[in-house]
């Protein structure tokens, strides 16, 4: 009987690992609760109506389907029985494995306030990106119809919580989208009624980057109209606003980008006390204490050469997935263990503005932005997506138009079941049938 | 003060009328409950994962934004006060008009069984197309996981109600999508477990077409595995199946394409007794009995040269919109009244197969299919969409792959609030967080 390798999670790491194992003698099964792999670095462009979900998401079956030794199950994992070597699914099924790979990624950390989630979606799933897009576009429509000056200002205030790359990217994109729409497409709202606020609890935005890139980014954000507030802590998030210190900011849309935590996979192994939820692994990505279980990417606590855990980046997961795939098939994996090769850390701030940190040298401005665009198109999963995204980007660069400005009828009222405020209900200003 | 022209509805007709009035001295306002104009003829491709919603939908503001004399309000109209010359909106506002254009289109006719709607969405809105896509793709994932042979068969049975062009198009597309996915991407379902049933109450499918085209279409549908049943009446639609005669057909997804009725705009004018809900108009599209109110497209009861009402086609609405726009600005509209020029009636059945009826002559097969593709790309609203759709079609033709096979996490459980059956709940087999 062929060796059964089970991979939980079809993200960058799990998929890279599975692809390495394609066409081998192993019997590989990938389990994911979604049917698609999502290119999260571009999800903020879906949220700001620049791209469609399908441009950055690929069905896992489509990616793996041609390998007859790979099987996929769309299911939720609820536990691992390490004694019997079985993974437990939501439907009660058990799936046997000889070796197991845990690649379940990370999720947003609401610091114990899970009630905030519905009011401030993050940037992890297509559903969240669509929610943000709906709220963003609807708030403009409502502001256009509003008669009260203060109400217009409230609706046109956007709060982004968290000053990491995701927060910076979405704040910049909202600011550019809003200014373009107000100038061209709306008649009853003015640019000075529109405001984007980026809130960071720490002393600096983009804390992982060198000082001079941070200064450039902050300066650029302020130039395109983003109010950057550092050292301010969010105390409460409701459906119509955010409490920062003693101030309550009324807003048309809140976006969460404030820190992630590992997925709860560590609990399946009884590792409840692991700090940050990351599973300790050895040099071969083997889970400490388990000969036949491996973890990678955001799920694994793998220390870099500086003794700190590797950052939660797609490139880390992908490199580890390839390494592990080769290791599992007994190929040319380095017996000295996995070593991360830093491909550079980047964030895009706006049109013609991005930053790159390659460790020894840095890049900023238009050159960095062009490099960012090329790299991200290249990283897309296949030729078709690369062409489609390239065309939309070139078109947008030339016209400043965004092609996916859709408020989908019906969906807001029904999906925002937890948000009771009329602010987010499209039933008021129309759109529902 | 400039003349105030109010247009209700931003579909083909309303938008064409507004565009004619762009740059004139009139003050034009377009009211729509959605923010976008939807190219409905291609909506079945969104439902079958071939295109993204944004590929065939364009924000109305984007289309009209450059004309400074045109204003748009996203709102639901609840009535018309003809005495005061005002339109009433859902928020309680009233909008004044000097002349009014009603272009509110049509909606699906569930023959009084509005409870069927949630179980059998039609092909009128992006929301419905996404619902169908979710159910279709989810049923394959569930069938792949199911252990019971009969359950697999039930999940892989698809019922399309209504044998008009929409029903034929979606039945053909489901059949092609399903066969491709089963052969390439799934491991535990077989082609013979998969079935598409097209049900038509009348004696023939595609009743508006000449006999020989109908024969060709029916033959082709059967060749690609669609079971065509004519003369059978649907008696009930539940969340897990359809009753036809004495038979209950269990199914993974039901699509409604059985006849439309005019939108309820006639009630705003007190015309409750109008047959079919279409508003009677004169040669100039003026509503009978109202000097300053006009109706067009699916909303208007305009008789063709054969004495029958014009069909509910995009080309009719568009031609009437252009005519009315010119008439309203006092331009070169024909004082003899509107005359419809038939551009041909078409339906696509599958890869390399379509039919065209130009009245005097007809076309079928690959040539018709190529013509259909060219015409539909040409009819898309702008250059960007044309390029994006062309690339996706060429790519699909070469690879048979469909790029938008996304099951969006979270959305099924929340949107299908009315469907209680576990068949449609993704919470079971995963996908939800």
């Amino acid at each position: 009987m062929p060796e059964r390798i089970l991979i939980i999670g079809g993200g960058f790491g799990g998929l890279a690992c599975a692809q390495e194992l394609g066409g081998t003698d192993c019997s590989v099964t990938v389990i994911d609760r979604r049917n698609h792999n999502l290119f999260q670095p571009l999800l903020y462009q879906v949220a700001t109506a620049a791209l469609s979900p399908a441009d950055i998401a690929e069905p896992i079956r489509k990616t793996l389907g041609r390998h007859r030794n790979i099987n996929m199950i769309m299911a939720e994992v609820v536990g691992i029985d390490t004694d019997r070597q079985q993974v437990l699914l939501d439907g009660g099924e058990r799936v046997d494995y000889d070796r197991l790979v845990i690649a379940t990624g990370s999720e947003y950390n609401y610091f114990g306030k899970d009630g905030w989630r519905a009011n401030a979606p993050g940037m992890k799933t297509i559903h969240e990106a669509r929610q943000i897009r709906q709220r963003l576009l609807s708030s403009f429509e409502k502001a256009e119809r509003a008669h009260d000056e203060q109400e217009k200002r409230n609706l046109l205030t956007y709060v982004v919580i968290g000053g990491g790359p995701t927060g910076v990217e979405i704040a910049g994109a909202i600011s550019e989208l809003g200014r373009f729409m107000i100038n061209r497409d709306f008649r009853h709202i003015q640019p000075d009624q529109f405001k984007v606020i980026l809130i960071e609890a720490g002393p600096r935005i983009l804390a992982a980057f060198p000082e001079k890139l941070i200064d450039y980014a902050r300066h650029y954000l302020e130039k395109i109209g983003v109010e950057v507030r550092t050292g301010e802590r969010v105390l409460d998030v409701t459906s119509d606003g955010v409490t920062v210190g003693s101030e309550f900011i009324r807003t048309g849309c809140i976006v969460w980008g404030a820190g992630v935590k590992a997925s709860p996979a560590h609990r399946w192994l009884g590792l409840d006390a692991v700090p940050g939820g990351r599973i300790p692994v050895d040099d071969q990505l083997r889970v400490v204490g388990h000969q036949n279980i491996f973890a990678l990417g955001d799920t694994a606590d793998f220390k870099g050469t500086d003794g700190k855990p590797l950052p939660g980046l797609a490139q880390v997961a992908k490199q580890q997935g390839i390494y592990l795939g080769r290791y599992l098939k007994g190929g040319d994996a380095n017996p000295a263990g996995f070593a991360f090769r830093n491909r550079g850390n980047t964030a895009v701030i706006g049109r013609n503005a991005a930053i790159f940190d390659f460790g020894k040298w840095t890049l900023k401005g238009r050159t960095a932005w062009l490099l960012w665009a090329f790299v991200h198109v290249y990283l897309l999963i296949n030729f078709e997506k690369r062409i489609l995204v390239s065309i939309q980007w070139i078109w947008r660069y030339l016209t400043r138009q965004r092609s996916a400005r859709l408020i989908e009828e019906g969906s807001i009222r029904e999906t925002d079941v937890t948000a009771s405020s009329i602010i987010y209900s499209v039933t008021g200003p129309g759109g529902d049938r």
Side-chain angles (χ1 to χ4, degrees), chain A residues 113-131:
Chain A
K113 313 274 190 181
D114 279 339
W116 295 4
R117 188 184 298 269
N119 301 321
M123 205 61 65
K124 284 276 173 195
T125 68
I126 290 176
H127 182 62
E128 288 167 314
R130 282 187 58 247
Q131 267 187 324

Side-chain angles (χ1 to χ4, degrees), chain A residues 33 60 120 174 176 207 222 230 243 295:
Chain A
R33 61 186 169 195
I60 294 171
I174 292 174
E176 290 189 338
E222 283 164 354
T230 47
T243 306

